[in-house]
Amino acid sequence: AAPFPLLSRLDAADNQVEELGADIAALPALKSLDVANNRLRELPAALADCPRLKEANFRGNQLRDKRLEKMVNGCQTKAILEYLRAGGRGKGKGESAREEVRKKKREKQQKKDGGDGEQDEVEEASKLLVKVLHVSENPAPLVVKVSPGVKDVRAFIVCCVLKGVNLKPGNTLKRFLSMQTKLHEDICEKRTVATIATHDLQLVKAPLTYDVRPPDELKIVPLGRREIKAKELLRQLQLEAEEQRKQKKRQNVSGLHKYLQLLDGKDNYPCLVDAEGAVISFPPITNSEKTKIRKETRDLFLEVTSDTSLQICKDVMDTLILKIAELNRSALENKEGSGSDMESDALCGPGNLNLPLVVEQVRAVDTDGNLKVLYPSKTDLATVSSLLTVIR
């Protein structure tokens, strides 16, 4: 019999663990495994034999298999386990995914029956394109001022602008929102390590300030709600959560109640404020209706905040840009909106060559104007470099 038949969660991050044994498969109830920031060089194939394993965090380990390391930084647990099950090192799932993409390309070309030399382009392409617009080349670069007060509340913020997104076809907008939810669950670890906010750039009034405010002074118009003070909003969400529990419905009015405890004991709450004094983001709880993304949105302002580390913000932003690029390619391919679901393997398969999305650098500065962080810098977007070509 298994020694720990009921163990469902194993947290062993930051422990200098050097090896995971194959006997990990002898944990029949294991659902969640966190071995981030250890000294693992390999992941045992036996992980794929854990029948209930749904969430796993392997980031921050120097894995020998570099493809696996990239997957660990971007892919869903299911894809990683399938890769291990197939023996890793490019066998199995990775290869079959690539073959599947090639097959689809061939079929598409046959349908097009020609197509302005586009065939060669599609044939050669295996990566998505992103072009970086540097602050020095940008006539009106966006700047975020960071108040000193955020240091004790939610210290880290990384922002950028992404231009040329197409959310119109079919259910692309819905998939865009669902992709964010999945990233919050997965790489953001249920928003405990980082929170993403996406805004319609046209509705963002710059310059922006990343600030803190007391709960009874922070006012926001949350997505789908009327203007409310943060204190009231949290109370409302708490009541809704209680009501949901009584009705035993998991998803009903709002999924936000899961994040309320992240603000427990805080005298001030973090917020991103626009030039008109309106709060457009209240992490980790909600964005504002004021900058809500619509089907017509073409240009995005992206924001990632964390109270854990700056690097986590950057890693999440890298992955977010890759996911949007994948989604954009899919939208361009399926202009009629066939609704095919590419979410599960979006990160783990090569894409087609499209016109590049443009990522504009955004600086975060302190109140004296000194640079705190510039994203994307030369070293950023490295975690997704196997799937993204960055023109700098």
Side-chain angles (χ1 to χ4, degrees):
F4 302 105
L6 300 176
L7 182 70
S8 67
R9 185 181 178 89
L10 180 55
D11 289 338
D14 306 294
N15 267 305
Q16 300 193 0
V17 175
E18 292 185 359
E19 189 182 354
L20 265 185
D23 48 3
I24 188 101
L27 297 172
L30 187 66
K31 288 182 184 175
S32 172
L33 172 67
D34 187 354
V35 285
N37 305 319
N38 279 300
R39 294 181 174 181
L40 297 174
R41 301 286 287 146
E42 290 180 353
L43 298 180
L47 278 167
D49 299 325
C50 293
R52 299 197 173 180
L53 188 59
K54 292 283 186 288
E55 293 175 15
N57 182 4
F58 305 113
R59 289 191 295 279
N61 288 290
Q62 300 294 312
L63 300 174
R64 283 196 187 94
D65 184 341
K66 292 305 165 193
R67 172 164 172 74
L68 180 59
E69 190 166 70
K70 283 179 179 130
M71 288 179 77
V72 158
N73 285 324
C75 292
Q76 294 182 349
T77 302
K78 185 180 171 189
I80 294 164
L81 295 181
E82 283 178 358
Y83 181 75
L84 291 170
R85 184 178 287 118
R89 299 248 173 228
K91 295 174 200 150
K93 176 87 177 174
E95 279 303 313
S96 62
R98 267 195 290 281
E99 189 45 51
E100 192 62 32
V101 170
R102 286 190 199 112
K103 187 178 157 193
K104 281 183 182 167
K105 283 180 187 173
R106 283 197 297 272
E107 288 169 0
K108 192 163 269 179
Q109 282 173 14
Q110 284 159 9
K111 279 182 195 168
K112 278 184 182 170
D113 204 35
D116 313 343
E118 206 172 6
Q119 288 184 14
D120 297 339
E121 200 178 55
V122 172
E123 199 58 52
E124 288 168 22
S126 63
K127 292 186 182 181
L128 297 146
L129 276 182
V130 169
K131 184 177 186 338
V132 175
L133 182 70
H134 296 266
V135 167
S136 57
E137 304 159 350
N138 191 345
L142 210 146
V143 177
V144 177
K145 290 179 185 169
V146 180
S147 302
V150 302
K151 190 163 62 73
D152 306 317
V153 180
R154 195 176 185 85
F156 308 103
I157 184 167
V158 166
C159 302
C160 69
V161 165
L162 191 62
K163 290 190 167 178
V165 175
N166 182 12
L167 298 172
K168 278 188 179 173
N171 59 356
T172 306
L173 178 59
K174 190 178 171 186
R175 285 161 68 198
F176 174 84
L177 298 171
S178 122
M179 169 267 290
Q180 273 191 81
T181 304
K182 286 180 181 175
L183 287 180
H184 272 142
E185 288 293 309
D186 190 10
I187 193 171
C188 298
E189 296 175 31
K190 295 186 166 59
R191 302 197 196 187
T192 54
V193 297
T195 305
I196 297 163
T198 54
H199 309 267
D200 184 327
L201 181 69
Q202 305 307 318
L203 305 173
V204 173
K205 309 290 181 209
L208 300 171
T209 306
Y210 183 47
D211 204 355
V212 290
R213 292 185 178 174
D216 52 357
E217 287 178 26
L218 196 165
K219 277 186 189 171
I220 187 168
V221 181
L223 291 170
R225 296 172 186 253
R226 294 178 183 170
E227 185 176 69
I228 190 169
K229 288 182 177 176
K231 193 176 180 181
E232 274 305 305
L233 174 63
L234 263 61
R235 189 179 297 147
Q236 221 174 73
L237 290 169
Q238 203 73 57
L239 290 170
E240 286 169 16
E242 292 301 323
E243 192 58 36
Q244 279 178 46
R245 271 196 284 277
K246 279 181 201 161
Q247 294 174 3
K248 293 187 177 168
K249 286 184 184 173
R250 279 189 205 154
Q251 293 285 332
N252 192 12
V253 190
S254 152
L256 296 177
H257 62 268
K258 291 183 284 192
Y259 312 118
L260 300 181
Q261 79 282 1
L262 300 178
L263 291 170
D264 281 354
K266 299 249 194 295
D267 296 330
N268 287 305
Y269 291 164
C271 54
L272 192 63
V273 185
D274 72 6
E276 297 172 344
V279 171
I280 62 169
S281 171
F282 167 29
I285 303 298
T286 184
N287 287 15
S288 166
E289 191 73 26
K290 184 176 182 181
T291 56
K292 183 179 177 177
I293 289 172
R294 303 150 301 156
K295 275 199 167 212
E296 295 69 39
T297 302
R298 296 285 295 164
D299 304 330
L300 306 176
F301 174 70
L302 307 178
E303 155 213 344
V304 178
T305 58
S306 170
D307 60 1
T308 308
S309 81
L310 186 62
Q311 191 55 48
I312 280 170
C313 289
K314 291 183 164 206
D315 290 349
V316 170
M317 187 67 92
D318 287 0
T319 308
L320 176 63
I321 289 171
L322 172 64
K323 291 289 273 179
I324 295 172
E326 289 277 8
L327 197 59
N328 212 45
R329 169 183 61 98
S330 175
L332 289 168
E333 283 180 354
N334 303 303
K335 283 236 167 131
E336 303 312 310
S338 63
S340 64
D341 182 33
M342 46 68 85
E343 294 295 355
S344 58
D345 288 315
L347 275 160
C348 306
N352 291 345
L353 190 66
N354 292 324
L355 288 172
L357 287 169
V358 176
V359 187
E360 292 187 4
Q361 289 182 322
V362 169
R363 286 177 301 148
V365 301
D366 65 18
T367 41
D368 296 326
N370 301 311
L371 184 67
K372 287 178 77 71
V373 61
L374 171 75
Y375 183 93
S377 68
K378 282 179 186 171
T379 54
D380 295 323
L381 292 166
T383 58
V384 292
S385 61
S386 64
L387 298 165
L388 208 57
T389 296
V390 183
I391 306 163
R392 296 185 190 270

